[in-house]
Amino acid sequence: MVEYYSQQTPFLLALDVIIFGFDEEGLKLLLIKRGFKPCKGQWSLMGGFLKEDEDMEQAADRVLHQLTGLSDLYLEQLRLYSKPDRDSDGRVISMAYYALMKTDHQDSKQLEKHNAQWFKIDEIPELVFDHREMVNHALARLRRRCKTQPIGFELLPDKFTIPQLQKLYEAILGIELDKRNFRKKILSMDLLQKLEEKDKSGSRKGAFLYQFDKEKYDRLIGEGFSFAV
Amino acid sequence: MVEYYSQQTPFLLALDVIIFGFDEEGLKLLLIKRGFKPCKGQWSLMGGFLKEDEDMEQAADRVLHQLTGLSDLYLEQLRLYSKPDRDSDGRVISMAYYALMKTDHQDSKQLEKHNAQWFKIDEIPELVFDHREMVNHALARLRRRCKTQPIGFELLPDKFTIPQLQKLYEAILGIELDKRNFRKKILSMDLLQKLEEKDKSGSRKGAFLYQFDKEKYDRLIGEGFSFAV
DNA sequence: GCAAAAGTGTTGAACTTACACCCATGT
DNA sequence: ACATGGGTGTAAGTTCAACACTTTTGC
């Protein structure tokens, strides 16, 4: 290490992850009741510290796996929270991430271990430090992002119906959409594979199930296509 | 500090800033020839380390001021570069920012002090560490951002002509634009104040100068307006 | 008088929005 | 038979893209 480096102050580097989920009730946030100091007993985002042998993305994956037992969730960097006094108990710099999780893949046992609980997006309890600000930022990013990237599918089961997909977008954007126009737009991109099966849980008639064709999407992207809802 | 914290490894936290400029020749990047180790003598982005009493944005402002002598430049966080081996000389985590600078405000003396030099965007020399990756990322972000935010004006003199503005967008986006459509679109937002004066440097006829009306923009944004080029 | 850049409108195509009824099924 | 959510098409309005000529002025 060069001398110039050794004169610098090192910092504790953490990450916090805003985990979104979606179910019949709408858009949800996964929070943990802290079983450790500081702020033990309060609601907070899941987080962790960066370790020597990993980069920040790996740390985020690790922390996410630790909580949920799942790997390869959609994960996106938000921004660095670095105010000197943001943590009541010492100087910690935190990189915020948000993740999208299919709630039907969840392992409830695993979640209980960390006292984790889903909260409706408009019923979020008071959070420690600047976590509420992080959540607001993540939500804003999700709202922007979901219009131009096919990330909504990360929140739905692998097989889903068009009405379900529409409800998801309505929950994220907080607005109502016209079902004819929504169908037209989403199907016109020709990225959804219609299956034979129907999902009968939502109605007597039942709605056809679809699958997102990721390979086709990747191919089209290479050709200059852009996703839009 | 709680015990849990003191068990963690601290890291050196730096920042690097991709500084864009624009002049008659097109879009430019401001680089420094490193007068210090590691990689002394090689071209690199301007950077610095986070200090104890500041947050990362303040650090970025400070570093930017140190190089250019200017304050309050447009500055946006990009992403964290945290690979364990990214710096050849020790573990340094770096937050990348990009900044937009009006080249007509530059202080050449100041820039010379740091051996700083402007490079055309398609003539960037080899850079140290992962700085080239940072530049690519910044450029991609700038291209996306300039279509939906009025950040182009941060690269032009306070008074500018429509053809100048168009050339700026063409330089950023790397495509040609139709001047009638461009004018129509940009003027239809009604955010540019036409001045009496003409700039005669670009042609015999001369082109009218305009000013961006930031107050009006802020007002409109509050009313749900969105900027688009 | 000519070269060089500034400035100006129209038309067709594509896309967006608004809107109302029939269908299939379980009870 | 009826209640519930699933599924479908069209017309008007808006936005976008393509395109060519006139103006001003310094030389």
Side-chain angles (χ1 to χ4, degrees), chain B residues 20 25-29 31 118-126 132 135-136 139 143 171 174:
Chain B
F20 290 109
E25 293 188 319
L27 191 62
K28 300 276 187 81
L29 198 60
L31 297 172
W118 288 105
F119 288 84
K120 284 194 211 169
I121 210 67
D122 50 4
E123 295 176 6
I124 300 170
E126 199 176 326
R132 179 66 221 211
V135 170
N136 291 345
L139 195 52
R143 285 191 173 135

Side-chain angles (χ1 to χ4, degrees), chain A residues 97-142:
Chain A
Y97 284 82
Y98 79 98
L100 304 179
M101 171 173 167
K102 300 177 196 253
T103 46
D104 66 321
H105 285 186
Q106 83 181 271
D107 176 347
S108 302
K109 288 263 159 49
Q110 184 75 19
L111 295 184
E112 275 167 34
K113 267 195 251 174
H114 294 263
N115 293 306
Q117 215 174 287
W118 288 104
F119 287 85
K120 283 195 213 172
I121 209 68
D122 50 4
E123 295 176 5
I124 300 170
E126 198 176 328
L127 300 178
V128 303
F129 309 150
D130 47 8
H131 286 194
R132 179 66 221 210
E133 198 185 333
M134 294 183 182
V135 170
N136 291 345
H137 185 214
L139 196 53
R141 175 78 66 96
L142 176 61

Side-chain angles (χ1 to χ4, degrees), chain B residues 143-154:
Chain B
R143 285 191 173 135
R144 240 183 315 131
R145 197 62 94 229
C146 76
K147 291 184 199 170
T148 58
Q149 304 283 141
I151 59 174
F153 309 112
E154 305 288 341

Side-chain angles (χ1 to χ4, degrees), chain A residues 7-184:
Chain A
Q7 293 165 359
Q8 304 300 330
T9 315
F11 295 88
L12 288 183
L13 240 187
L15 72 100
D16 289 292
V17 52
I18 296 98
I19 306 173
F20 290 108
F22 176 73
D23 64 18
E24 317 72 44
E25 292 187 321
L27 192 62
K28 301 276 187 78
L29 198 60
L30 190 58
L31 298 172
I32 61 167
K33 192 165 215 163
R34 292 169 78 96
F36 47 87
K37 285 201 219 172
C39 303
K40 189 167 170 173
Q42 291 186 254
W43 289 104
S44 120
L45 295 169
M46 180 66 181
F49 285 91
L50 180 67
K51 292 186 194 292
E52 287 186 62
D53 58 346
E54 58 184 9
D55 67 26
M56 199 52 113
E57 271 66 36
Q58 290 168 331
D61 276 334
R62 171 173 56 75
V63 163
L64 212 42
H65 183 266
Q66 200 177 316
L67 174 62
T68 64
L70 304 174
S71 304
D72 298 318
L73 299 186
Y74 179 86
L75 194 61
E76 186 181 329
Q77 219 178 70
L78 279 172
R79 71 176 190 82
L80 197 69
Y81 287 79
S82 58
K83 289 218 183 85
D85 59 353
R86 60 172 291 279
D87 186 316
S88 57
D89 243 76
R91 178 98 201 243
V92 178
I93 314 285
S94 180
M95 189 73 227
Y97 284 82
Y98 79 98
L100 304 179
M101 171 173 167
K102 300 177 196 253
T103 46
D104 66 321
H105 285 186
Q106 83 181 271
D107 176 347
S108 302
K109 288 263 159 49
Q110 184 75 19
L111 295 184
E112 275 167 34
K113 267 195 251 174
H114 294 263
N115 293 306
Q117 215 174 287
W118 288 104
F119 287 85
K120 283 195 213 172
I121 209 68
D122 50 4
E123 295 176 5
I124 300 170
E126 198 176 328
L127 300 178
V128 303
F129 309 150
D130 47 8
H131 286 194
R132 179 66 221 210
E133 198 185 333
M134 294 183 182
V135 170
N136 291 345
H137 185 214
L139 196 53
R141 175 78 66 96
L142 176 61
R143 286 192 172 133
R144 239 183 315 131
R145 197 60 96 228
C146 76
K147 291 185 199 168
T148 58
Q149 303 285 141
I151 58 174
F153 308 112
E154 306 287 341
L155 288 164
L156 291 176
D158 298 322
K159 299 175 180 182
F160 53 86
T161 68
I162 306 288
Q164 243 181 313
L165 185 61
Q166 183 178 341
K167 283 192 196 86
L168 169 63
Y169 276 99
E170 290 177 335
I172 294 175
L173 298 171
I175 54 172
E176 300 222 321
L177 300 169
D178 178 278
K179 64 175 171 171
R180 276 171 297 190
N181 293 339
F182 180 77
R183 260 194 132 78
K184 215 184 310 171

Side-chain angles (χ1 to χ4, degrees), chain A residues 182-197:
Chain A
F182 180 77
R183 260 194 132 78
K184 215 184 310 171
K185 197 159 191 180
I186 211 86
L187 290 176
S188 73
M189 286 187 283
D190 206 20
L191 289 170
L192 300 188
Q193 265 190 307
K194 187 175 183 174
L195 306 177
E196 296 297 308
E197 320 159 58

